[in-house]
Amino acid sequence: YPPHLKNKQNKKNTMKTTFKILIAGIALITSTQLISCKKDKKEEPKTLVGTWNSSTFYSKETTNGVVTSEGTFNFPGLLAITFNSDMTYKRYSPLDPTETESGKYQTMGSKLILNYTDATGSQSDTADYTFSDNTLEMKEVYTEVMDSETIVTEDKITFTRQ
């Protein structure tokens, strides 16, 4: 190369080398990110189907906005509920086989609706619910107005998948 072009050629080679190193670096970083993005957690079930056993029970009662009682209690195995794929369920106490309820269930967004028949006729319980991994939470809120008092009871039962 003539002396005046030799300097330009060196700059060109340096830029090519730098560009190749940059591309190799980006490729290395991208491949590392793709490999490190694999899931370490076990895939969680996407369905309620299965048997769930109670673990804790939370209850809070307020009267005219003032908390009158509140507590969380260990509730292991005192209540179980089985959801079947045909949209039927059975709620029961493993400790007392006579304490059972069965019927049909449905979900609507964050609501779980249990429809059943008891001695007084057709009934329906609606609870807010969430589940993830192996935990199911069902929360119900009841409001009762008596004379000049408004009593609100919030109950939440946490279940674990069997």
Side-chain angles (χ1 to χ4, degrees):
Y1 289 105
H4 68 283
L5 293 178
K6 205 175 206 183
N7 211 9
K8 282 186 177 178
Q9 187 61 35
N10 283 341
K11 282 184 181 178
K12 210 180 220 185
N13 287 340
T14 303
M15 285 180 60
K16 281 184 180 179
T17 304
T18 303
F19 184 73
K20 285 179 183 178
I21 290 171
L22 181 63
I23 294 297
I26 291 172
L28 178 64
I29 290 170
T30 304
S31 66
T32 303
Q33 291 298 318
L34 289 174
I35 291 170
S36 67
C37 284
K38 76 175 185 184
K39 292 184 180 178
D40 294 333
K41 288 176 67 174
K42 194 170 97 177
E43 192 67 26
E44 67 181 59
K46 302 286 189 239
T47 178
L48 284 174
V49 172
T51 298
W52 301 82
N53 291 312
S54 62
S55 56
T56 59
F57 175 74
Y58 168 81
S59 185
K60 176 176 153 183
E61 187 174 286
T62 59
T63 302
N64 295 333
V66 177
V67 176
T68 54
S69 67
E70 182 175 25
T72 300
F73 309 94
N74 287 329
F75 208 58
L78 294 179
L79 181 65
I81 189 165
T82 299
F83 295 101
N84 301 305
S85 60
D86 65 356
M87 304 303 285
T88 60
Y89 79 94
K90 180 179 179 183
R91 187 166 33 180
Y92 57 97
S93 169
L95 302 176
D96 184 357
T98 63
E99 292 284 328
T100 64
E101 167 191 295
S102 58
K104 293 203 170 273
Y105 73 93
Q106 64 185 48
T107 59
M108 293 176 61
S110 64
K111 303 286 186 199
L112 174 63
I113 303 162
L114 304 176
N115 298 301
Y116 60 95
T117 303
D118 65 11
T120 61
S122 294
Q123 304 293 327
S124 182
D125 286 343
T126 301
D128 290 322
Y129 84 105
T130 58
F131 73 101
S132 62
D133 296 329
N134 290 320
T135 302
L136 166 65
E137 288 186 353
M138 293 173 59
K139 177 181 164 185
E140 294 182 280
V141 178
Y142 311 96
T143 302
E144 184 178 356
V145 179
M146 294 185 330
D147 298 324
S148 63
E149 291 186 333
T150 300
I151 301 168
V152 178
T153 304
E154 176 185 323
D155 292 336
K156 180 173 72 174
I157 301 176
T158 302
F159 295 86
T160 54
R161 191 182 294 271
Q162 184 175 354

